[in-house]
Every structure is written in C-alpha cells, then in structure tokens.
Amino acid sequence: DAGVTQSPTHLIKTRGQHVTLRCSPISGHKSVSWYQQVLGQGPQFIFQYYEKEERGRGNFPDRFSARQFPNYSSELNVNALLLGDSALYLCASSWAGGRTQETQYFGPGTRLLVL
Amino acid sequence: SQQGEEDPQALSIQEGENATMNCSYKTSINNLQWYRQNSGRGLVHLILIRSNEREKHSGRLRVTLDTSKKSSSLLITASRAADTASYFCAALYNQGGKLIFGQGTELSVKP
C-alpha cells in the first residue's frame, strides 16, 4: 500500500507569492494534519482535518489555510509568503484523527524556499 | 509554549554502544510518540506509549514513560551506523490529533 504522498517535493517562491501544497493520505485514513518544520526545530502543528472538517488549528496567521476533499486528500495554502515561511511542510494521516490511541503517519514533506 | 524539551541536543557514539535520549513535556498527556527523521525528510514512526503504560519495547528500542516527572526516554541498544538520524518525541495532549514535538536529538553513530 502507498504511504502518505505529498507534492511537490521542492518549491521555490518569492516573497508575496502564494503557494499550494498537496497531500494524499494512506488509503482508508480520514484525517490529515499539517505541520511546519523550520530547520533545526521540531515540527509545529498547523491544521488538522477530519472528515472534511477542520478539527484543530495551530498558532499560525490567517495567511495559512487548508481544506480536505471528499477523497480525504488535502491542500495547504499560504498567501503573501514571507521569508520566514521557508520550511519543510509535513503532512500526516491517521484513521480517526487522534480519537483513538493511533499512530500518525507522515509523508516525505515539501521543502519550501521563499526568496 | 507547550513544546517539549529533549536532551541531549546532539549525541555521538560508536557502533555497538547504547544511545539514550530524554524528553520532557508540560501537562498531562494522552500518549507519547517517538519519531525518527533522516536528513530533513519525512518522519518515521518508531513507537507509541500510552499514558497508562510505563515501558514498551520494539526490537532494539525501549521507551519508558514517567508521568509523575512528565518525562520519557528512548533507548536504542547496540546502535548501528544506520541509526544516525534526528529523533523526536511528540506528545498527544488530548483526544484530538495535535502532536506537540520536542526540539529533537541529533544522533550520530560512528562505524
């Protein structure tokens, strides 16, 4: 079975632009979470979606938004990019969105560089 | 900030030695998970320990959880060069899916 997939793998943008990152969860998983990992730090929670509804939001500005589609794939959108948005963006999928004692499985990430 | 703390930040050992990494967290947790990350790529899940468990094993990995001290440790026995990676603990504080990660321990295993 395929694991969590993310696209693109790398992305270079300039300040002020907009970016869309995509994630496909493991087949059968209904929850997707997004994390931002700045170099040298642990991942920081951005959003969680379960059954197409937002379940949680981290401490990120409104420039960050996300959605989940009927097939449970997800998009993370970031508007008005800043240099500080340069990071590895990780997507994690789980079956029940943390309601049970379950593992979250991470994708390989999208590395975003903002110039 | 709820972010956990890990120590040491970096650890360098020889192949065959054991590696111990520690993690502390802030408040009561639902469970604690350990992940490995190679060269800034995706996170690989290693082990999950529930708040009512004290110790768990998986192959060469042993995880302990001390809820009174709000701390956990990951022991890798008989380390190999392939264990070289960054290791993160992540706490699940409630029934939702928000994981709070520590800063990570960078492990280097020399052949």
Side-chain angles (χ1 to χ4, degrees), chain A residues 18-86:
Chain A
H18 161 271
V19 68
T20 297
L21 311 181
R22 296 178 175 82
C23 171
S24 292
I26 292 171
S27 177
H29 284 192
K30 300 180 179 180
S31 177
V32 168
S33 297
W34 287 95
Y35 292 81
Q36 180 197 64
Q37 186 179 23
V38 173
L39 195 64
Q41 297 184 18
Q44 299 264 341
F45 174 79
I46 309 175
F47 285 110
Q48 186 199 21
Y49 277 78
Y50 176 69
E51 288 277 22
K52 302 180 287 293
E53 292 192 1
E54 183 181 302
R55 273 289 187 78
R57 172 185 284 254
N59 189 23
F60 280 81
D62 291 343
R63 299 185 296 107
F64 288 76
S65 64
R67 54 179 175 166
Q68 187 176 35
F69 299 100
N71 67 354
Y72 302 112
S73 67
S74 177
E75 280 183 357
L76 174 70
N77 294 285
V78 186
N79 292 324
L81 285 167
L82 302 174
L83 296 180
D85 296 330
S86 296

Side-chain angles (χ1 to χ4, degrees), chain A residues 9-10 33 35 37 40-45 48 58 88 90 97-104 106-109 111, chain B residues 3 30-31 33 35 37 39-43 45 48 50-51 88 92 94-104:
Chain A
T9 55
H10 294 83
S33 297
Y35 292 81
Q37 186 179 23
Q41 297 184 18
Q44 299 264 341
F45 174 79
Q48 186 199 21
L88 180 68
L90 295 161
R99 284 184 171 179
T100 61
Q101 296 282 357
E102 59 176 4
T103 297
Q104 291 193 30
F106 282 79
R111 188 163 295 283
Chain B
Q3 190 156 31
N30 186 297
N31 66 55
Q33 305 180 35
Y35 288 85
Q37 185 176 43
S39 302
R41 297 300 293 169
L43 296 164
H45 186 265
L48 180 154
R50 301 176 184 183
S51 59
F88 293 91
L92 188 70
N94 52 39
Q95 286 287 61
K98 177 181 178 181
L99 288 173
I100 305 295
F101 282 83
Q103 303 277 33

Side-chain angles (χ1 to χ4, degrees), chain B residues 67-105:
Chain B
T67 53
S68 66
K69 294 181 180 178
K70 295 186 174 55
S71 66
S72 174
S73 67
L74 170 67
L75 169 67
I76 304 174
T77 59
S79 62
R80 306 166 182 167
D83 295 329
T84 295
S86 293
Y87 291 82
F88 293 91
C89 66
L92 188 70
Y93 282 93
N94 52 39
Q95 286 287 61
K98 177 181 178 181
L99 288 173
I100 305 295
F101 282 83
Q103 303 277 33
T105 293

